[in-house]
PDB file of all heavy atoms in Angstrom:
ATOM      1  N   LEU A 210     -13.184   7.472  -0.225  1.00 98.00           N
ATOM      2  CA  LEU A 210     -13.567   8.824   0.179  1.00 98.00           C
ATOM      3  C   LEU A 210     -12.527   9.867  -0.253  1.00 98.00           C
ATOM      4  O   LEU A 210     -12.668  11.036   0.077  1.00 98.00           O
ATOM      5  CB  LEU A 210     -13.764   8.879   1.698  1.00 98.00           C
ATOM      6  CG  LEU A 210     -14.887   8.003   2.254  1.00 98.00           C
ATOM      7  CD1 LEU A 210     -14.855   7.993   3.775  1.00 98.00           C
ATOM      8  CD2 LEU A 210     -16.233   8.484   1.742  1.00 98.00           C
ATOM      9  N   ILE A 219      -2.934   4.435   7.299  1.00 96.00           N
ATOM     10  CA  ILE A 219      -3.488   3.122   7.666  1.00 96.00           C
ATOM     11  C   ILE A 219      -2.655   2.002   7.051  1.00 96.00           C
ATOM     12  O   ILE A 219      -2.323   1.025   7.728  1.00 96.00           O
ATOM     13  CB  ILE A 219      -4.969   3.024   7.248  1.00 96.00           C
ATOM     14  CG1 ILE A 219      -5.801   3.987   8.111  1.00 96.00           C
ATOM     15  CG2 ILE A 219      -5.472   1.594   7.361  1.00 96.00           C
ATOM     16  CD1 ILE A 219      -7.193   4.234   7.591  1.00 96.00           C
ATOM     17  N   LEU A 223      -0.307  -0.980   8.810  1.00 91.00           N
ATOM     18  CA  LEU A 223      -0.301  -2.402   8.451  1.00 91.00           C
ATOM     19  C   LEU A 223       1.128  -2.902   8.284  1.00 91.00           C
ATOM     20  O   LEU A 223       1.458  -4.018   8.689  1.00 91.00           O
ATOM     21  CB  LEU A 223      -1.112  -2.615   7.173  1.00 91.00           C
ATOM     22  CG  LEU A 223      -1.390  -4.038   6.731  1.00 91.00           C
ATOM     23  CD1 LEU A 223      -2.219  -4.779   7.761  1.00 91.00           C
ATOM     24  CD2 LEU A 223      -2.106  -4.041   5.404  1.00 91.00           C
ATOM     25  N   GLU A 235       1.069  -5.779  -0.677  1.00 91.00           N
ATOM     26  CA  GLU A 235      -0.187  -5.077  -0.934  1.00 91.00           C
ATOM     27  C   GLU A 235      -0.186  -3.693  -0.281  1.00 91.00           C
ATOM     28  O   GLU A 235      -0.596  -2.706  -0.894  1.00 91.00           O
ATOM     29  CB  GLU A 235      -1.355  -5.912  -0.411  1.00 91.00           C
ATOM     30  CG  GLU A 235      -2.706  -5.289  -0.643  1.00 91.00           C
ATOM     31  CD  GLU A 235      -3.840  -6.149  -0.131  1.00 91.00           C
ATOM     32  OE1 GLU A 235      -3.601  -7.227   0.449  1.00 91.00           O
ATOM     33  OE2 GLU A 235      -4.989  -5.708  -0.313  1.00 91.00           O
ATOM     34  N   PRO A 265       8.380 -10.219  -3.314  1.00 84.00           N
ATOM     35  CA  PRO A 265       8.345 -10.500  -4.749  1.00 84.00           C
ATOM     36  C   PRO A 265       7.303 -11.541  -5.162  1.00 84.00           C
ATOM     37  O   PRO A 265       6.920 -11.594  -6.328  1.00 84.00           O
ATOM     38  CB  PRO A 265       9.758 -10.975  -5.074  1.00 84.00           C
ATOM     39  CG  PRO A 265      10.412 -11.257  -3.782  1.00 84.00           C
ATOM     40  CD  PRO A 265       9.665 -10.535  -2.717  1.00 84.00           C
TER      41      PRO A 265
END
Side-chain angles (χ1 to χ4, degrees):
L210 297 172
I219 292 166
L223 188 62
E235 181 179 2

